[in-house]
Amino acid sequence: MKVAKIKIGRRSFIKSSTLASGGMVLGFNWLMSCDMTPSQVKALPKEWFKINGFLKIGDNGLVTIMSPNPEIGQNVKTSMPMLVAEELDTDWNDVIVEQAPLNTTLFKRQLAGGSQSIRQGWNSLRMAGATARAMLIEAAAKTWNVAASEITTSEGQLIHTLSGKQAGFGEMASLAATLEVPSEVKLKDVTDFKIIGSSRKNVDGSKIVTGKPLFGLDYKSENMLIAMIVHPPAFGMKLKSIDDSKAKSMPGIERVFTIKTHESGYSLGAFDNDAFNEIAVLVGRSTWEVMQAKKELIAEWEMAEAKVEELNFFGRNITVETPAGLESTADHKRILEKMSIKKAKVVRKDGNPEAAFKKAVTIIERSYTCPFLAHNTMEPMNFYADVTEEKATLVGPIQTPEIMEQSVSKRLGMPVENIDIQMTRMGGGFGRRLYGHFLTEAAVISKEMKQPIKLVYSREDDMTQGTYRPSYHAYYKAGLDENKNLIAFQVRAGGIPESPLAANRFPAGAVENYVAEEWSQVSNITVGAFRAPRSNFIAGAEQAFLDEVAEAAGKDPIDFRLELLTKAESKPIGTNNDYVASRYAGVLKLVKEKAAWSTNKNPDVFRGTAAYFCHNSYVANVLDMIMVKGKPVVQKVYCAIDCGIVVNPDAATNLAEGGLVDGIGHAMYSAMTFKDGVPEQNNFDTYRLIRHGEAPKEIEVHFVENKIDPTGLGEPPFPPVMGALANALYRATGVRQYNQPFITDKPLAG
Amino acid sequence: MLSHFKLNINGKVREVEVDPTTPILWVLRDHLDLVGTKYGCGIAQCGACTVHLNGVAVRSCQLPISAVGSEKITTIEGLSEEGDHPVQKAWLEHDVPQCGYCQAGQIMTASALLNQNTNPSDSDIDSAMHGNICRCGTYTRIKAAIKTAANSQDLN
């Protein structure tokens, strides 16, 4: 056991009157009205005893654990409470999980983003369980008049072996709840884990498969109206005026008006970016009626002016420049090409790349591009708002509740204490729901209506609103000497409107002469974090390029990477390399072994490999492709991951499988394109997402076993598979892929 | 203009006053508090709104209430009384969902497939499920769960 000082805010563990049991249960929320299937729970206790902000224990030993972070499908609502339950030493079958309310006093970082929930919650969640366990032991020691050090626990039982005394947690909970919170607690050794490392089912699984209300779009209240929006049809345009004469007379319509999401002079918060500040709003009694009225609204649009705004990104001021004009994908392509051949800002330079390239016997130069992508969460953007003079209640899917609380407070001119944001399960996030303009819009609409409303984006509103993955370009150059050794490496990466460069990632650190440059070009098409921002392009580009370099060097692509990683480990170049070479090599070796890379030489199977490190975790792939009637089919993907301790193995495997399917899908099929500012895709008939028959027939996920503190999995499995896919496509068709998506309407060359 | 309709939903008669063009999706969600059936695209491209009409999978976003008459509609809430349809059980066994939003539609399409074909091949599954998008990418688990359900003793 290791002793851990409680440094993560003891307030989190102290009983708080602001969280009386009634408020915690969110009893008024109709999403919870169908809670808890009886088969899961023995019987509800007569009384709950609140031990700390994370948990309460019933008189019958049932434990309610609050899951602090937003759930977007990454399964934290199961895995985060598992950490608490482990250190509490309770029986997982006695655990009820509830979504915690937004409470920045009790909880730290109630945010879903950057694959950080488990990594950053690892200590605080375990301490929450461990302090409760210590308090239960203390209560038993007092009751039995024995030394606390002689009491052990196991699956919800307190045991004093010397006297033969035993009691359930429920019997000691009332006393424990009155005791002092200890100033330090002992945490279990990794080898003593019983819950962490064993697969536990999704705590919302049975509600999901029976269609219970769980999501923001499912939320409703008495007197609630439905609100929908009309935003400009093109980036670079803004609302001039509306003619609502027909729309407002349509059946079921209450009001039609316009709102400004932010008033002029509003200083933007970290996630307030929004393409269309002024929008038209239609409010009515049912979704279908509002949808019909929406078609009858006549709006006049005009060109928007260029603007420069300051955005406060966690204390750092960022300038956001929005040019005027109507942009097209054809223009973007020209910009990417033009900028990529100019000298750009050097971010990192090791050795003397210019001299090394002159000396090189073989030079390889390649360029890679990708389009904008829409997040397309299956649940479109939506939020419920009930804003009165006194308070604002906001319910819905949001990845950044604690940050949007500040924005809404500022926009409504209402103190944060009077704003209650409740988190629902999210029908996907992928970064889209970091940007909560729809929450602010809902609040502004409800305030205007003086009535509760649920704002609903149609799929078309959602897909054409912006907040896209940027369009990127990466130019690579490699130099080999006469012995086919890689002696020089250059990457120049840029994009609209940001660069995807990660200058200190592999192969930085493994090549003596290295230079990384970046550039960017402003745009009025808005972008946002999209699952594994920047890595979601640069990983695939880099890994496809390294495949070509390995080929030119006459080396096996895995062995080529391993040789470089050996160099990076034994004699690293530079000081800021942001990866651990041995862990990087570890996943490559594991995938090599599991895929029988060296021995499996089936001539009908075309194999591509890739490896990448991002968001603190390491992932390597081998992707097997076969050709069926001239079409490439992904037969199997082998995936090796090092994310430290794996909290919930089957769920982690599921998340990795999803990341691989998602990566293959986006690289292969998806694109968001524009003509004169207008998105050319607005629904799933024009925007291609991967479908059932296009997914790999089989996926095998393997985890490196170690005792390193866990890191996240929402993002890391997504980027590298794009490289493995490109490399397998090359082996299957003889044609290298440089531009995503790889498959458009045209048949794949080869 | 509002009209009165009597529907047969999950074995019960339900009455509503709505515009005759209203798709069953919105009747279920807005008027009958049956929100398990999801809105994803509104143009029958994603499958999130799938329900059964006389046991056959249909996209409820494209099914106006005026076209339904007294035919039997089954939604995810009515697929089984205790949430124990073989497909639901298989979904739990394989712990299929990630975000979970599309899964009601996936389950309704899968259960309709198994109504017609108790032993579907991989390509039968791919073609039956083609219209159901899962943005989280749970396709391989869905296929495994459909096979488990197909092999289950309980499947009639």
Side-chain angles (χ1 to χ4, degrees):
Chain A
M1 280 195 185
K2 61 178 176 186
V3 177
K5 288 258 185 249
I6 303 202
K7 56 186 175 194
I8 312 172
R10 287 186 69 211
R11 276 189 303 178
S12 303
F13 305 137
I14 293 169
K15 294 177 297 297
S16 157
S17 57
T18 60
L19 272 187
S21 57
M24 277 179 84
V25 183
L26 306 173
F28 55 89
N29 181 340
W30 99 291
L31 293 179
M32 307 293 284
S33 61
C34 312
D35 224 3
M36 285 180 283
T37 48
S39 59
Q40 277 181 319
V41 174
K42 17 183 172 184
L44 287 175
K46 289 187 193 70
E47 201 172 349
W48 287 106
F49 300 99
K50 205 169 137 41
I51 309 293
N52 59 44
F54 288 88
L55 66 97
K56 56 183 179 178
I57 300 178
D59 53 23
N60 64 349
L62 277 183
V63 180
T64 296
I65 301 180
M66 307 305 286
S67 185
N69 283 27
E71 172 64 65
I72 55 176
Q74 81 283 45
N75 208 31
V76 288
K77 198 174 170 185
T78 305
S79 55
M80 293 184 99
M82 283 173 70
L83 306 183
V84 180
E86 177 69 68
E87 293 291 345
L88 179 63
D89 215 12
T90 189
D91 183 342
W92 182 250
N93 294 320
D94 286 343
V95 172
I96 298 168
V97 175
E98 279 178 20
Q99 179 68 58
L102 175 64
N103 188 319
T104 49
T105 310
L106 285 174
F107 306 110
K108 291 279 174 204
R109 199 184 182 279
Q110 290 185 283
L111 191 150
S115 299
Q116 296 299 308
S117 295
I118 287 293
R119 179 169 179 250
Q120 300 208 20
W122 176 242
N123 285 324
S124 59
L125 288 158
R126 287 184 305 145
M127 281 188 197
T131 50
R133 176 178 172 273
M135 289 157 78
L136 288 162
I137 288 177
E138 189 60 34
K142 281 189 196 311
T143 306
W144 296 334
N145 205 18
V146 300
S149 59
E150 293 168 5
I151 296 173
T152 57
T153 58
S154 176
E155 296 187 347
Q157 295 292 313
L158 292 144
I159 303 150
H160 186 248
T161 313
L162 293 175
S163 64
K165 286 197 165 71
Q166 186 165 342
F169 283 1
E171 297 168 61
M172 295 297 167
S174 67
L175 179 56
T178 65
L179 299 177
E180 276 289 300
V181 179
S183 58
E184 58 181 34
V185 287
K186 290 173 177 169
L187 294 177
K188 285 185 181 178
D189 188 81
V190 175
T191 51
D192 294 326
F193 288 161
K194 292 177 190 161
I195 294 173
I196 295 171
S198 68
S199 295
R200 307 289 161 150
K201 302 281 191 203
N202 186 331
V203 294
D204 278 341
S206 55
K207 288 185 203 165
I208 291 168
V209 305
T210 53
K212 298 286 186 291
L214 280 170
F215 300 93
L217 213 52
D218 302 343
Y219 190 85
K220 55 181 67 176
S221 74
E222 291 290 319
N223 302 323
M224 181 188 86
L225 294 170
I226 298 291
M228 297 191 80
I229 61 149
V230 176
H231 66 62
F235 295 92
M237 299 202 87
K238 64 175 185 174
L239 185 66
K240 186 179 182 192
S241 63
I242 58 168
D243 171 358
D244 62 0
S245 48
K246 179 136 192 229
K248 72 181 176 194
S249 64
M250 294 283 286
I253 299 305
E254 298 274 331
R255 275 186 67 192
V256 180
F257 52 98
T258 64
I259 61 161
K260 282 185 176 166
T261 311
H262 305 120
E263 303 271 26
S264 59
Y266 176 94
S267 60
L268 295 174
F271 295 102
D272 280 338
N273 13 350
D274 183 8
F276 307 115
N277 188 45
E278 189 169 16
I279 50 180
V281 177
L282 302 95
V283 183
R285 67 188 163 191
S286 76
T287 316
W288 181 248
E289 286 170 316
V290 180
M291 281 177 165
Q292 302 319 299
K294 205 167 171 291
K295 293 180 200 162
E296 303 299 337
L297 182 78
I298 299 163
E300 204 180 333
W301 314 101
E302 61 186 345
M303 297 297 287
E305 305 81 23
K307 59 181 178 181
V308 178
E309 293 165 299
E310 290 281 311
L311 184 146
N312 184 326
F313 196 79
F314 301 100
R316 195 157 51 94
N317 267 351
I318 293 177
T319 304
V320 184
E321 204 182 329
T322 309
L326 302 176
E327 302 175 17
S328 297
T329 298
D331 309 329
H332 291 158
K333 283 186 176 165
R334 280 195 290 274
I335 290 167
L336 293 177
E337 275 169 35
K338 193 181 88 190
M339 295 295 287
S340 70
I341 54 171
K342 283 190 189 168
K343 269 200 181 319
K345 183 185 159 198
V346 174
V347 181
R348 172 170 170 157
K349 191 172 178 179
D350 299 323
N352 188 341
E354 296 86 353
F357 277 120
K358 273 192 194 133
K359 226 171 64 183
V361 175
T362 311
I363 301 268
I364 308 136
E365 286 178 281
R366 298 290 183 264
S367 287
Y368 301 81
T369 67
C370 71
F372 288 89
L373 293 176
H375 293 77
N376 288 327
T377 60
M378 289 313 291
E379 179 190 18
M381 297 308 112
N382 67 88
F383 230 84
Y384 168 88
D386 182 8
V387 177
T388 64
E389 290 291 321
E390 296 77 38
K391 64 191 267 278
T393 304
L394 298 150
V395 186
I398 182 74
Q399 289 179 247
T400 49
E402 61 184 43
I403 295 159
M404 289 314 299
E405 186 180 56
Q406 302 289 334
S407 298
V408 170
S409 164
K410 216 162 36 170
R411 178 62 178 86
L412 297 178
M414 187 183 276
V416 167
E417 306 82 78
N418 300 4
I419 293 166
D420 175 22
I421 298 183
Q422 296 168 29
M423 294 171 263
T424 59
R425 188 177 187 85
M426 281 177 253
F430 310 106
R432 178 61 185 85
R433 289 187 161 102
L434 295 164
Y435 306 90
H437 57 88
F438 46 85
L439 179 156
T440 311
E441 289 160 11
V444 172
I445 296 166
S446 173
K447 187 182 178 187
E448 175 70 27
M449 292 298 296
K450 300 185 171 61
Q451 203 169 336
I453 60 100
K454 182 167 65 184
L455 172 65
V456 179
Y457 273 37
S458 71
R459 173 58 59 195
E460 290 82 1
D461 297 332
D462 184 300
M463 205 182 284
T464 59
Q465 189 279 339
T467 324
Y468 304 122
R469 194 279 299 271
S471 179
Y472 294 124
H473 185 287
Y475 159 82
Y476 287 98
K477 183 176 177 184
L480 304 177
D481 68 10
E482 62 280 5
N483 298 318
K484 307 278 187 195
N485 292 312
L486 177 62
I487 55 165
F489 192 93
Q490 180 184 8
V491 52
R492 180 188 290 145
I496 304 169
E498 61 159 28
S499 167
L501 183 71
N504 296 321
R505 289 199 188 140
F506 183 78
V511 190
E512 281 84 355
N513 305 291
Y514 172 91
V515 60
E517 301 165 51
E518 68 178 15
W519 58 268
S520 62
Q521 174 77 34
V522 295
S523 168
N524 57 29
I525 295 170
T526 57
V527 299
F530 183 110
R531 192 177 208 171
R534 298 169 290 281
S535 305
N536 60 36
F537 164 69
I538 201 85
E542 170 203 294
Q543 290 295 309
F545 183 65
L546 286 180
D547 202 69
E548 283 206 60
V549 179
E551 189 180 38
K555 288 178 181 163
D556 173 271
I558 292 184
D559 293 342
F560 173 72
R561 288 170 173 82
L562 287 172
E563 275 174 33
L564 289 173
L565 286 162
T566 304
K567 274 177 75 177
E569 191 184 0
S570 60
K571 220 179 137 200
I573 313 293
T575 50
N576 293 324
N577 305 321
D578 73 353
Y579 58 93
V580 177
S582 59
R583 293 182 77 185
Y584 219 129
V587 289
L588 269 166
K589 287 175 190 163
L590 182 61
V591 84
K592 186 180 178 186
E593 175 207 324
K594 296 295 180 186
W597 176 261
S598 308
T599 53
N600 190 343
K601 303 286 182 194
N602 184 341
D604 297 326
V605 176
F606 306 96
R607 315 193 97 180
T609 188
Y612 204 66
F613 166 70
C614 66
H615 295 88
N616 315 101
S617 297
Y618 300 80
V619 176
N621 298 135
V622 168
L623 184 146
D624 286 355
M625 185 168 279
I626 56 170
M627 294 301 281
V628 180
K629 294 178 191 155
K631 281 178 113 180
V633 172
V634 180
Q635 187 66 19
K636 184 164 182 176
V637 182
Y638 298 87
C639 179
I641 300 173
D642 182 352
C643 59
I645 295 163
V646 181
V647 175
N648 192 2
D650 187 51
T653 301
N654 192 355
L655 197 53
E657 290 165 356
L660 296 168
V661 171
D662 196 16
I664 292 167
H666 280 99
M668 201 80 143
Y669 306 110
S670 304
M672 194 78 210
T673 59
F674 307 89
K675 179 85 177 107
D676 298 328
V678 179
E680 293 182 297
Q681 297 76 27
N682 67 5
N683 207 324
F684 298 126
D685 52 346
T686 43
Y687 192 104
R688 268 194 84 184
L689 283 173
I690 190 168
R691 289 176 182 268
H692 272 272
E694 295 155 343
K697 305 299 164 218
E698 200 182 336
I699 298 175
E700 224 180 88
V701 178
H702 301 276
F703 292 96
V704 173
E705 284 183 33
N706 59 36
K707 294 182 182 177
I708 300 169
D709 285 357
T711 49
L713 271 179
E715 287 157 309
F718 178 60
V721 72
M722 301 183 193
L725 175 70
N727 298 336
L729 275 168
Y730 165 63
R731 299 217 157 65
T733 64
V735 178
R736 291 276 179 189
Q737 296 298 322
Y738 299 104
N739 303 300
Q740 293 182 18
F742 300 147
I743 289 188
T744 55
D745 293 331
K746 282 172 279 176
L748 201 70
Chain B
M1 290 312 101
L2 300 189
S3 303
H4 184 259
F5 293 93
K6 259 190 188 179
L7 297 168
N8 178 348
I9 296 178
N10 298 332
K12 289 184 192 130
V13 176
R14 304 292 300 261
E15 300 188 38
V16 287
E17 295 261 339
V18 295
D19 183 283
T21 63
T22 310
I24 287 296
L25 168 66
W26 296 112
V27 175
L28 295 169
R29 292 188 58 82
D30 279 1
H31 302 278
L32 298 174
D33 284 352
L34 291 168
V35 295
T37 305
K38 299 302 190 216
Y39 167 66
C41 70
I43 58 165
Q45 290 291 314
C46 79
C49 68
T50 307
V51 299
H52 294 176
L53 187 66
N54 298 323
V56 177
V58 294
R59 310 299 181 215
S60 67
C61 73
Q62 294 298 303
L63 183 66
I65 189 168
S66 57
V68 173
S70 59
E71 299 193 43
K72 276 167 53 181
I73 294 171
T74 308
T75 71
I76 186 73
E77 292 91 344
L79 186 62
S80 62
E81 277 188 22
E82 300 289 332
D84 56 356
H85 184 281
V87 172
Q88 289 168 314
K89 280 162 71 177
W91 244 248
L92 292 175
E93 186 186 325
H94 290 270
D95 215 11
V96 171
Q98 286 185 33
C99 87
Y101 191 80
C102 74
Q103 298 295 346
Q106 304 277 0
I107 288 169
M108 296 310 284
T109 305
S111 54
L113 164 67
L114 295 178
N115 285 344
Q116 314 283 327
N117 179 353
T118 52
N119 189 22
S121 66
D122 278 18
S123 69
D124 292 338
I125 294 173
D126 285 345
S127 67
M129 302 302 294
H130 182 76
N132 286 78
I133 296 173
C134 173
R135 176 67 182 78
C136 299
T138 63
Y139 296 130
T140 45
R141 282 190 184 227
I142 288 173
K143 189 175 277 177
I146 292 173
K147 289 181 181 176
T148 297
N151 291 326
S152 131
Q153 302 277 328
D154 312 333
L155 195 69
N156 319 311

